[in-house]
Amino acid sequence: MLDQTQVSDSSKPSNGVLLPISDEIRRHLLYTFGHDESHVNNNYRYRALAATVRDRVTKKWRKTRELFEQSDQRKVHYLSLEFLLGRSLNNAVQNLDLESPVREALQGYGVDLEEIADQELDAGLGNGGLGRLAACFLDSCANLQLPVVGYGIRYEFGMFHQLIENGRQVEAPDHWLRDGNPWEIERPEDTRTIRFYGHTQRSINEKGEQVSSLVDTHDLLAVPYDMPIPGYKNDTVNTLRLWKASTADVFNLAEFNSGNYTDAVVQMNNAEQISMVLYPNDSSENGKELRLKQQYFLVSASLQDIIAKWVEKNGDDFTKFGEQNCFQLNDTHPACAVPELMRLLMDEHGLEWDEAWKVTTSCMAYTNHTLLPEALERWSVALFSRLLPRLLEIIYDINAKFLKQVAKEYPGDVDVLRRVSLVEEGDQPHIRMAYLSIVGSFSVNGVAALHTGLLKKGLFADFYKIWPKKFNNKTNGVTQRRWLSHCNPGLRDLLNDTIGDKWEGDLVEMAKLAPLASDKAFQKKWIAVKQENKRRLAEHVLQHTGVEFMEDAIFDVQVKRIHEYKRQLLNVLHVVHLYDRIRRGDTKNMTPRCVLIGGKAAPGYHVAKLIVKLINNVASVVNNDPATKGLLRLAFFPNYRVSTMEIICPGTELSEQISTAGKEASGTGNMKFMMNGALTIGTLDGANIEIREKAGAENFFLFGLDAAGVVDIRKAYDPNGIIAGDEEIRRVMELIEGGTFNKNEPGIFDLLTSGLRNPQDQWVTMADFRSYIDAQQEAGDCYRDKERWNRMSILNSAHSGWFSSDRTIGQYADEIWSAKPLQGS
Ligand SMILES: *Cc1c(COP(=O)(O)O)cnc(C)c1O
């Protein structure tokens, strides 16, 4: 492992070049930014400190890269359209073990680290769980010293900023690169050319074989920017390589018509559109051409990059390529990697189909993230043939060979051929990207036990029958370095004093807390930490929403993307129910409660945006009614993102994980809350099931139908019967439908209430409402028994070890990648 002396000494000049941190900050202020230290704002202090910390990464980074390039071990390339990194400064300071020297240096400038770190904009290159998972995975790969490179897109504009105006979501652009990005290094020497449109030309090569090549293409350049991913207190610094699109001016200049010079220059800039903006759709696809361009751009640039380095070392001998390389596809977004690798091997490097297919299917691995039909990517054949004509040919060939194999196994069964075909037939045929990924990969994994089981039984059942061994589960995880150690310093210190600090590198160590769960003295310390985190959260809520949270109330939190399947509506219905009870004077056995909801809605998702409006309107009525004082508060937290979750999850007591069973693939927010001692109220969905198993059923508030129950009830779902048959539920619907929350905007919530009453409602919200009310009452009652609550809270943290992304990545490395820690590091 690591040499501790080397890292803890890094405040001293370690390689003859770097000065002590305080001097380096001064040097950067003066020479990098041209500022005198006495006339400088915190933003420049942040930038100087970031540059200082980045300088301390470079040596290990270069060493890791050299080891990586020399090694013949299997390398993993994690392909993802999203990396939701959040902030980097604190992460780097923590992992390089620089906290004390940095704090000391900043003291000299009269500022604290928190103030300076708060200057950094989030790198919001992702939507939600899928993008954040990729970021946690990179952290764990570096912690485990695995030879893994992340490949993504350097979006000029990340996830939009969410503003709330008159209760409604308004989107503003996120120009996160405006002040530059101290964490990236441009590597123009590794620029690749990406080719779109054109058509295929066949010719005969020297060996007399038929070969295909693309002609008349529109070309652009992919320029890589590398970001360091430092391992936790070790010598590894891995790389995240993000591609920026740029114009291939040297190639296009010849086409310039002298009379159209300025138009031609303007045209050139269109190339940069490709990496301009992240598509803000979570769990839904919109089929835009630019999005398919982004996908191919990432995949082609990354594969060319890896193959160029391979050829430098091995020439055109690809026999060991599959043994020494592995590509993990984060959902189907990079699924073009399958036909693109085939194209490069055949058209550019002379391999025959069978050889190329053998290589491709020995190194591609696919992770599925969703069961929602609207999220499954399908690209129209018409678009494909225009944009990527050669890739479409290859996909057709893959399909023909695959269907031939299936026909052999199921003689005479045409229905199965239609079901598993990579091409969905119809007026407008489409390519099924999930099926392409399955056929082209040696591994297909789901992200929680239930999810993988449902894939095998449902969505991918035909494929599971054909290749049972391809399918495997890798339950998601999150990194405890960011989601506990960094974001909850109070708990970190308490843990270190109580069980030592090994949990930072091995979360299973947390189990040592279990024997202390009923220990009075320990409980006292536990409560004190939570109380301080609640105070900090309440301050943040007040500052950003104007709503005052009572610090003795239970903090009940649901933060995640706004989506019907996640059922923020159910949460609001419960708040309305509590409000109704207060108005009726039924407040005995009511635990004071502060409810926080946050999350972004996809800009084109009308219902989700209406849910945001309902939350805000209910909040405004509830918070302004004097009757609710001391009993109930509701706030909508605007612009939910990684850096806000870092404040929210330590201060949360009740974690809302209330999706319709069978719809949430895993969830990872649920894990962040558990680590930080929140209790979960949840359905038997995604990783909730495993959380409940690990924490113990008695330490989890379960409610609602399970996945089979949801399928079952939908056959004869009668929400209106449920409403009519339950007095309390009926009153909730009457309050909303009667206009209590939209006095001046009649009818605006009709779409939501009619959805709840619709027998076709996919999310069966009414079916779970009574059970949810009862589970919430139980949680509230339990909260008033402080000793019991805190025992349950401690046991949840203690048993959260399974949900570290270190465990997840350990399983990917052993069971999919066959990857080992890089020798020599
Ligand atoms: C963890 C996280 C998510 C995922 O939350 P779920 O509750 O699993 O949907 C989304 N966004 C951000 C900013 C996160 O940190």
Side-chain angles (χ1 to χ4, degrees):
M1 268 278 280
L2 60 150
D3 179 357
Q4 286 285 351
T5 54
Q6 221 179 326
V7 272
S8 49
D9 248 12
S10 39
S11 61
K12 302 195 192 94
S14 53
N15 57 8
V17 180
L18 296 179
L19 306 170
I21 288 187
S22 179
D23 297 329
E24 284 288 325
I25 295 175
R26 187 172 304 110
R27 191 175 67 77
H28 276 295
L29 279 175
L30 262 173
Y31 297 107
T32 309
F33 301 111
H35 273 293
D36 183 328
E37 69 186 81
S38 55
H39 297 95
V40 72
N41 59 26
N42 277 349
N43 189 259
Y44 274 111
R45 289 194 182 111
Y46 158 70
R47 290 162 71 179
L49 175 59
T52 300
V53 172
R54 188 247 278 128
D55 291 345
R56 279 173 153 70
V57 174
T58 36
K59 197 169 145 193
K60 287 181 184 178
W61 196 7
R62 189 166 39 75
K63 284 225 168 118
T64 305
R65 193 166 57 239
E66 280 167 10
L67 264 176
F68 182 92
E69 280 166 8
Q70 286 156 11
S71 170
D72 288 334
Q73 279 178 229
R74 200 176 203 198
K75 294 159 188 174
V76 180
H77 315 282
Y78 195 85
L79 304 187
S80 179
L81 268 285
E82 303 188 11
F83 288 91
L84 189 47
L85 298 170
R87 292 171 173 165
S88 290
L89 175 64
N90 266 319
N91 188 247
V93 167
Q94 180 185 21
N95 287 10
L96 298 174
D97 206 8
L98 291 174
E99 188 172 334
S100 318
V102 163
R103 283 193 189 279
E104 216 170 283
L106 288 179
Q107 247 171 29
Y109 292 87
V111 287
D112 63 32
L113 177 56
E114 284 67 28
E115 239 177 298
I116 299 303
D118 211 33
Q119 291 290 317
E120 183 173 0
L121 299 175
D122 280 35
L125 309 184
N127 273 281
L130 173 150
R132 184 53 230 175
L133 184 76
C136 282
F137 278 6
L138 292 184
D139 182 81
S140 285
C141 288
N143 176 48
L144 297 172
Q145 306 195 285
L146 293 166
V148 177
V149 181
Y151 278 100
I153 293 179
R154 182 181 177 274
Y155 301 106
E156 199 76 30
F157 291 86
M159 190 60 202
F160 66 81
H161 286 282
Q162 179 192 55
L163 309 172
I164 301 297
E165 288 176 9
N166 187 29
R168 292 184 192 270
Q169 169 177 303
V170 174
E171 299 90 24
D174 165 45
H175 200 186
W176 70 294
L177 293 167
R178 193 187 43 220
D179 296 334
N181 176 6
W183 306 106
E184 69 184 12
I185 295 188
E186 185 181 355
R187 298 273 180 217
E189 65 274 24
D190 286 345
T191 297
R192 310 289 165 196
T193 302
I194 315 298
R195 304 165 72 205
F196 291 100
Y197 305 104
H199 57 265
T200 313
Q201 201 165 59
R202 301 214 195 280
S203 56
I204 305 292
N205 69 6
E206 324 79 80
K207 291 189 247 166
E209 301 154 344
Q210 198 185 57
V211 289
S212 302
S213 56
L214 266 172
V215 294
D216 297 335
T217 52
H218 290 211
D219 297 353
L220 56 89
L221 300 180
V223 184
Y225 288 71
D226 289 351
M227 293 182 75
I229 308 293
Y232 178 66
K233 297 185 186 175
N234 63 29
D235 286 335
T236 295
V237 177
N238 279 344
T239 299
L240 169 59
R241 173 158 278 198
L242 300 176
W243 299 100
K244 174 186 160 71
S246 168
T247 177
D249 46 0
V250 277
F251 300 96
N252 291 340
L253 268 174
E255 295 170 16
F256 278 18
N257 176 325
S258 57
N260 282 330
Y261 168 74
T262 47
D263 285 351
V265 172
V266 170
Q267 273 294 311
M268 277 173 22
N269 272 325
N270 285 339
E272 310 205 345
Q273 302 297 315
I274 287 195
S275 56
M276 194 57 69
V277 61
L278 166 77
Y279 276 92
N281 307 310
D282 192 69
S283 303
S284 83
E285 275 312 316
N286 60 3
K288 289 270 171 58
E289 176 167 340
L290 183 59
R291 169 72 175 186
L292 182 56
K293 279 189 178 170
Q294 290 183 336
Q295 297 185 350
Y296 179 69
F297 172 77
L298 164 66
V299 156
S300 184
S302 308
L303 288 173
Q304 288 187 56
D305 200 42
I306 293 152
I307 288 178
K309 281 170 197 157
W310 176 267
V311 170
E312 254 175 53
K313 239 176 117 172
N314 305 278
D316 272 346
D317 181 358
F318 284 88
T319 41
K320 290 197 166 162
F321 185 84
E323 238 169 78
Q324 292 183 20
N325 289 280
C326 184
F327 299 88
Q328 190 70 45
L329 311 180
N330 197 20
D331 212 312
T332 57
H333 312 154
C336 284
V338 171
E340 175 67 358
L341 182 55
M342 289 296 288
R343 185 187 72 82
L344 291 167
L345 293 176
M346 294 190 300
D347 299 358
E348 312 271 329
H349 297 279
L351 271 69
E352 309 245 359
W353 178 279
D354 289 346
E355 296 170 82
W357 187 243
K358 200 174 148 204
V359 170
T360 300
T361 52
S362 66
C363 59
M364 292 287 163
Y366 157 54
T367 304
N368 173 279
H369 284 272
T370 180
L371 297 156
L372 299 181
E374 64 267 34
L376 293 175
E377 287 192 293
R378 300 151 59 252
W379 289 106
S380 91
V381 167
L383 171 59
F384 235 110
S385 76
R386 209 160 42 79
L387 189 64
L388 304 165
R390 179 65 183 133
L391 245 51
L392 183 63
E393 288 178 357
I394 292 172
I395 292 171
Y396 279 156
D397 286 349
I398 293 172
N399 197 33
K401 287 168 205 277
F402 167 59
L403 292 181
K404 218 164 127 187
Q405 182 195 332
V406 177
K408 240 195 269 169
E409 281 179 52
Y410 298 87
D413 189 344
V414 274
D415 201 47
V416 75
L417 297 183
R418 190 186 47 73
R419 286 204 308 268
V420 300
S421 174
L422 306 191
V423 184
E424 184 181 288
E425 296 299 345
D427 293 349
Q428 281 216 43
H430 283 77
I431 306 297
R432 297 158 158 163
M433 302 306 276
Y435 293 4
L436 174 62
S437 305
I438 297 172
V439 173
S441 298
F442 69 89
S443 163
V444 177
N445 75 282
V447 290
L450 172 75
H451 171 233
T452 303
L454 292 172
L455 285 179
K456 292 184 193 172
K457 265 196 297 192
L459 202 54
F460 298 156
D462 289 319
F463 293 91
Y464 179 59
K465 258 197 214 149
I466 301 170
W467 295 300
K469 287 194 195 127
K470 264 194 200 187
F471 289 79
N472 63 93
N473 177 245
K474 298 287 167 282
T475 298
N476 283 166
V478 301
T479 169
Q480 68 270 29
R481 268 84 57 189
R482 181 176 295 259
W483 296 115
L484 210 174
S485 189
H486 156 63
C487 73
N488 197 342
L491 187 53
R492 176 194 64 195
D493 293 346
L494 176 58
L495 291 174
N496 289 350
D497 289 348
T498 313
I499 59 169
D501 64 1
K502 284 213 204 94
W503 59 273
E504 299 201 319
D506 177 10
L507 199 63
V508 175
E509 286 283 313
M510 295 279 281
K512 291 186 176 156
L513 284 181
L516 296 170
S518 301
D519 182 304
K520 285 240 164 64
F522 184 70
Q523 278 207 358
K524 211 172 146 195
K525 296 179 194 165
W526 188 262
I527 299 171
V529 168
K530 183 59 81 177
Q531 212 51 41
E532 168 57 20
N533 289 330
K534 285 175 71 178
R535 194 201 51 73
R536 188 164 58 126
L537 174 54
E539 196 178 281
H540 208 66
V541 169
L542 178 62
Q543 191 187 338
H544 290 93
T545 71
V547 179
E548 226 171 306
F549 275 11
M550 310 80 82
E551 282 166 31
D552 59 338
I554 182 170
F555 279 23
D556 169 349
V557 176
Q558 185 177 25
V559 285
K560 48 183 74 244
R561 288 300 292 259
I562 309 290
H563 202 293
E564 288 163 279
Y565 84 82
K566 293 176 182 277
R567 295 200 298 195
Q568 281 90 359
L569 256 186
L570 183 58
N571 193 345
V572 181
L573 293 178
H574 175 246
V575 173
V576 173
H577 162 67
L578 292 179
Y579 180 53
D580 178 48
R581 278 182 57 188
I582 292 168
R583 298 207 327 172
R584 294 188 332 240
D586 175 19
T587 58
K588 63 176 182 322
N589 297 330
M590 189 182 272
T591 301
R593 189 183 285 254
C594 297
V595 180
L596 186 65
I597 304 178
K600 292 172 184 172
Y605 188 172
H606 180 64
V607 173
K609 291 178 111 172
L610 199 53
I611 293 171
V612 171
K613 171 70 171 161
L614 177 64
I615 298 165
N616 280 299
N617 280 24
V618 170
S620 153
V621 170
V622 166
N623 300 335
N624 288 310
D625 187 332
T628 63
K629 190 162 191 287
L631 282 175
L632 182 61
R633 284 293 174 267
L634 172 62
F636 182 85
F637 199 99
N639 202 30
Y640 172 60
R641 60 196 187 279
V642 171
S643 57
T644 51
M645 184 54 160
E646 289 170 5
I647 297 168
I648 291 170
C649 74
T652 295
E653 293 175 301
L654 188 60
S655 154
E656 299 274 347
Q657 307 300 337
I658 61 178
S659 52
T660 307
K663 303 295 180 188
E664 185 76 271
S666 164
T668 49
N670 46 5
M671 302 168 184
K672 299 167 197 165
F673 286 120
M674 182 196 198
M675 276 178 197
N676 286 279
L679 303 197
T680 303
I681 180 164
T683 48
L684 286 176
D685 201 13
N688 294 353
I689 295 174
E690 290 157 75
I691 286 178
R692 180 165 170 266
E693 269 168 26
K694 303 288 175 189
E698 69 284 9
N699 300 312
F700 186 105
F701 301 105
L702 179 70
F703 76 95
L705 297 166
D706 64 9
V710 169
V711 172
D712 213 48
I713 201 171
R714 289 201 57 208
K715 294 170 193 158
Y717 181 46
D718 177 19
N720 294 300
I722 295 170
I723 293 164
D726 187 318
E727 169 70 8
E728 287 188 318
I729 293 180
R730 192 178 57 73
R731 292 178 61 96
V732 167
M733 291 304 284
E734 267 171 19
L735 274 176
I736 300 173
E737 289 170 335
T740 313
F741 307 106
N742 54 325
K743 288 220 161 78
N744 303 314
E745 300 163 292
I748 59 167
F749 298 128
D750 291 0
L751 188 64
L752 299 181
T753 50
S754 65
L756 292 169
R757 287 180 176 280
N758 187 342
Q760 298 305 312
D761 176 22
Q762 285 198 66
W763 322 112
V764 296
T765 303
M766 281 303 156
D768 283 346
F769 191 20
R770 171 43 61 189
S771 166
Y772 183 56
I773 291 173
D774 295 344
Q776 286 284 23
Q777 182 64 41
E778 196 192 325
D781 292 344
C782 181
Y783 189 76
R784 295 199 302 273
D785 181 348
K786 290 289 170 221
E787 263 189 54
R788 181 166 168 227
W789 182 274
N790 282 297
R791 179 165 46 79
M792 293 166 76
S793 163
I794 293 164
L795 288 173
N796 266 271
S797 279
H799 295 128
S800 64
W802 178 252
F803 303 103
S804 166
S805 46
D806 297 344
R807 184 273 310 156
T808 313
I809 286 299
Q811 289 185 315
Y812 274 86
D814 290 346
E815 299 164 20
I816 301 177
W817 302 338
S818 307
K820 305 228 156 1
L822 199 53
Q823 294 299 308
S825 60

